[in-house]
Structures are given as structure tokens and as C-alpha cells.
Amino acid sequence: MRVITLECPDCGTVVAANELEDNRIMKCPGNDCDSVLRFDDLPEDDRSFYLENKEQYRL
Amino acid sequence: MKGVLLAGGTGSRLRPITHTGPKQLVPVANKPVIQYAIEDLREAGISEIGVVLGNKGREAIQSFLGDGSDFGVEITYIVQGRPLGLAHAVGCAESFVDGDDFVVYLGDNMLKRGIVDVVDGFRTGGFDAGIALQEVDNPTQFGIADVDEDGRVTHLVEKPDDPPSNLALIGIYVFTPRIFDAIEEIEPSWRGELEITDAIQYLLDDGGAIDSQVVEGWWKDTGKPEDVLEANRLVLEDLEATRAGSIDTDAKVEGRVDLAESSRIESGAVVRGPVSIAENTTVETGTYVGPYTAIGANSTVRNAHIENSVVVGDTEITTSGRIIDSLIGRGAAIGSAEGKLPEGRRLVVGENSQLEL
């Protein structure tokens, strides 16, 4: 199964696609990081794959 | 080599303690379980650690570990979100690992002898993965490895009806980046989770060489209250006592008792080690603290009898009843009903609590 993540460009915190998709826009969960992370920050290919296979990423 | 510490999970078997905090922060001998894992990784020469977080207790773990500098390591957080399985958690760490070999350590596990042997074994052999194993009495309850005479793994099977060996996987793995290719190839199991045993089996089927190290000394998964008490007992067994706190002249203190500098044992109290007493805690007169007890910070124990128990902290215990084999959560108050009418026990008990009265 393809595991899709996004790395915060400022602090290196990694966030899984399911978390990004749940929030759409979120403050980076890294300690003391003010960056904003978006599902749309993922590469187009990753976003499309995730949305087409969304059920895989739910329990 | 890097470390990936898995700190997700709901902690459902440790409720109600985990209603208010993650299981990885439950103290064993007055130190959160996850700290033992960090120290084991550091001892193995690993200072770059990715901590994989779920949705439960994320902020509490980040608040405790910070950037890792208090523990001599450098921490990067990896937010897995939904609990999609160990292999998914490991897969989330790919960009952090960045092509290095890495150790995966379950954050609620504890090992007496750490992971140095497991890591060294892997480093010497040119393997695609290494797994830590331990002999168990009930192999049908575990993931089990079949190994050849050289210790190479030949087959893995999850909770087998007919176990090929009694060697259980104990949640410590060493991987090369090849594991990410394996994770991409496997599918979620019947329970909807991406299983790490499936990924390792994929490596095996693909011709990979998997090393195994049978771990000596005890190993504990601290997932249940009785496991926390057992781990507490095992750690206290090797306790190095520093009686830094104050002990009144007429207090009786025997055996190994680790007493924090700001804590006190008052006259008329009896403390029989091994016992750990954290900061700003007072053991008052008439109290007996028996072996294998850890009392957390900012607590008061008065006129009570307590043994083989873990008191998380911020706790007041003033009952004259005997408390044994107990796990008492933060902020709990256990008083006395003596002299009150009608006679009986008065309880305010949270969901999923377990009491034996």
C-alpha cells in the first residue's frame, strides 16, 4: 500500500495524508512551528491516488 | 542509523488511566515508559529519532519529549493520524529515515538489557532486516518466527494455531530502506491494518535475509495494568537507591529506597524497599510503604499501607485500608470512611475502572 506523507519544509515534521485530508488546512503539529500545512501541498499524483483509494486509508 | 519510535495506539487496555493521557507516559519506577525506549536507542548509538504519533495523547508526548535535547537525542515528529497498522506507521517514517538503516521500537515496550545486541547483530551481517525475539510459553498469542540454525528467519506467522517455534516477535526491528518497497507491495490485513509481519514476510519471499536475535533478560509490553505493575517490579528489582531526601530519625527505612531530594519520610513511617519516591512527596507517620512500590511526585501518603503498587502522582492517600497490586492514576484521592455513617465505601470511579473491594 502506498504510504503518502508531507514533510513540513520548516521543521521536518512529517504528516500522513489521512491527517492532512481530515484537516485540509492545519497548523504544523511540530513543536513551536508556525507553518501551515495543506492537503493541497501534496504532489498532484499523491493527491489523486489518495482520493481515488480513500477507503484504504480508513480503518 | 536512525530510530523510529512508535507512540500511537489508544491504550484501551489501560483505561481509565489512558482516558487522560497516552499509555507511553504511564510511569514505571517513576519514569515514563517511553523514556526507557529513548534511553535504549541512545545507548545503541542512535541519536536521531522519529517519534510516530497517533491521535491519542499527541500533545502530551510532544510536551514531554520536546526536541529531545533533555534526553540527549534529536527528535522529529511523524504524525500517522489514524492507526492504520505498524507497517503504515513505519512507512510514514520514510522521508525521515532518508535512506539510512533504522531501528523500530514500540514505545510501550521495555527490555531489561536494551537493544545493543540486536543492533550489533544486524550491523555485522549485511541483512535486509533484523528482528528481536524472545521465548514465550504461549506462542499462539504472538507473532512467531521460524528460524534456522544460524538464526536466520525462514518464516513468520501471526498467532499460529500450530506454532513452528516458541520465539515471539517482541516489537524491536532493524530495517534497511528495502522495507519501504515491501510496505508498498502489501495490502491491509483482514482487520484493515497494514501489518509489519506481512512486510517482513514479503522481504523473505523476495529473497531477503532476515537476522534474528533472541533477547536475554526480561521484556515487557506495558499494555495492561498488571503489565505496568510487573514492569515496575522488574525495574525496582535493579533499583540504584539514592536517599537524597530527608528521613526523620524515628522513621524506619529498610532496603533500597530511592527518595527524591525534595521528599520526606516522617517519624513513625516504615518504608521497605525496593521503593521509589518521586519529588515533593511526603510519607507521613503511621504509613507502611512496602516492596515494589513507586509513588509519583507531589503526593502525600498518611496512615496507609501500600505495597506492590504504582501511584502516578499528585495523589493523596489517607485511608487506613491496605492497598496492594494497584495502579492509581494522577490526582486520585483515597481517603478514609472510618467513623462515617452509614458504613460503607464511597466511590467516585471513572469509566472502565477496575476495583476489587
Side-chain angles (χ1 to χ4, degrees):
Chain A
M1 185 172 115
R2 189 157 155 187
V3 179
I4 301 168
T5 60
L6 179 69
E7 190 174 314
C8 173
D10 291 331
C11 72
T13 294
V14 179
V15 182
N18 69 73
E19 188 74 6
L20 290 166
E21 203 258 343
D22 282 350
N23 292 283
R24 287 283 160 176
I25 298 176
M26 63 188 287
K27 182 181 168 299
C28 173
N31 283 346
D32 304 322
C33 183
D34 293 325
S35 289
V36 173
L37 305 180
R38 298 175 179 82
F39 182 72
D40 289 345
D41 293 337
L42 288 168
E44 167 63 26
D45 180 47
D46 281 346
R47 266 184 289 152
S48 303
F49 184 88
Y50 181 86
L51 293 172
E52 283 164 18
N53 298 277
K54 211 167 165 178
E55 285 313 306
Q56 268 197 332
Y57 298 95
R58 299 188 183 284
L59 263 179
Chain B
M1 186 174 281
K2 290 177 178 165
V4 172
L5 182 52
L6 306 186
T10 60
S12 58
R13 295 176 300 163
L14 262 175
R15 291 171 182 159
I17 302 294
T18 47
H19 281 318
T20 49
K23 59 183 175 179
Q24 293 83 5
L25 295 187
V26 170
V28 167
N30 280 321
K31 190 159 75 177
V33 169
I34 198 169
Q35 191 175 337
Y36 291 94
I38 295 274
E39 290 171 356
D40 282 352
L41 288 164
R42 194 185 58 203
E43 186 191 29
I46 295 164
S47 58
E48 290 179 76
I49 300 173
V51 177
V52 183
L53 303 165
N55 286 323
K56 172 93 183 173
R58 183 192 304 173
E59 293 82 3
I61 291 172
Q62 289 183 258
S63 173
F64 176 71
L65 293 178
D67 63 2
S69 54
D70 286 352
F71 305 97
V73 297
E74 186 183 318
I75 287 175
T76 298
Y77 291 101
I78 299 161
V79 178
Q80 182 192 13
R82 291 193 202 105
L84 296 170
L86 291 189
H88 181 264
V90 172
C92 287
E94 184 170 6
S95 64
F96 162 74
V97 167
D98 195 24
D100 283 350
D101 295 342
F102 61 106
V103 174
V104 172
Y105 197 131
L106 297 192
D108 57 353
N109 274 9
M110 294 178 64
L111 293 165
K112 178 181 173 71
R113 294 197 184 167
I115 60 168
V116 171
D117 290 347
V118 180
V119 172
D120 286 351
F122 172 84
R123 278 178 166 147
T124 56
F127 297 100
D128 295 293
I131 57 177
L133 302 172
Q134 188 161 74
E135 292 183 8
V136 294
D137 295 331
N138 48 344
T140 57
Q141 305 298 310
F142 293 89
I144 295 295
D146 200 4
V147 300
D148 68 17
E149 55 202 22
D150 297 324
R152 289 194 174 206
V153 178
T154 57
H155 183 58
L156 295 176
V157 57
E158 196 64 38
K159 295 180 180 175
D161 292 331
D162 184 18
S165 78
N166 64 345
L167 295 170
L169 283 76
I170 62 170
I172 312 291
Y173 312 91
V174 194
F175 292 125
T176 68
R178 271 197 74 193
I179 195 67
F180 298 117
D181 300 330
I183 290 169
E184 185 144 355
E185 294 298 328
I186 62 172
E187 293 298 323
S189 66
W190 61 271
R191 57 179 183 167
E193 295 189 15
L194 216 51
E195 310 284 357
I196 198 67
T197 46
D198 289 347
I200 299 169
Q201 187 62 52
Y202 182 90
L203 284 180
L204 275 173
D205 295 343
D206 199 41
I210 314 292
D211 181 40
S212 71
Q213 294 287 328
V214 177
V215 170
E216 303 293 334
W218 53 262
W219 153 67
K220 286 305 291 181
D221 163 5
T222 59
K224 295 183 286 188
E226 55 268 35
D227 296 327
V228 173
L229 294 179
E230 173 73 356
N232 189 64
R233 190 182 70 73
L234 292 166
V235 173
L236 289 181
E237 195 73 68
D238 295 330
L239 178 73
E240 287 181 20
T242 53
R243 295 183 186 180
S246 63
I247 301 172
D248 287 4
T249 311
D250 293 331
K252 193 173 178 185
V253 179
E254 300 170 339
R256 286 173 290 115
V257 175
D258 193 42
L259 181 66
E261 190 173 2
S262 54
S263 293
R264 180 179 177 191
I265 300 171
E266 294 188 347
S267 291
V270 176
V271 179
R272 187 171 295 161
V275 162
S276 170
I277 299 171
E279 305 80 31
N280 300 313
T281 285
T282 306
V283 178
E284 297 188 4
T285 187
T287 298
Y288 170 74
V289 181
Y292 307 113
T293 299
I295 302 175
N298 309 310
S299 299
T300 301
V301 190
R302 183 186 315 131
N303 206 33
H305 174 128
I306 183 166
E307 62 182 274
N308 196 44
S309 294
V310 171
V311 179
V312 175
D314 300 319
T315 300
E316 184 173 82
I317 301 173
T318 57
T319 180
S320 57
R322 293 165 63 100
I323 297 171
I324 60 165
D325 305 344
S326 296
L327 175 57
I328 298 170
R330 187 173 301 285
I334 304 174
S336 173
E338 206 170 291
K340 289 187 177 177
L341 292 173
E343 277 187 26
R345 296 181 171 93
R346 292 161 174 78
L347 309 172
V348 180
V349 178
E351 284 179 41
N352 311 109
S353 296
Q354 302 162 47
L355 294 93
E356 293 176 20
L357 300 171

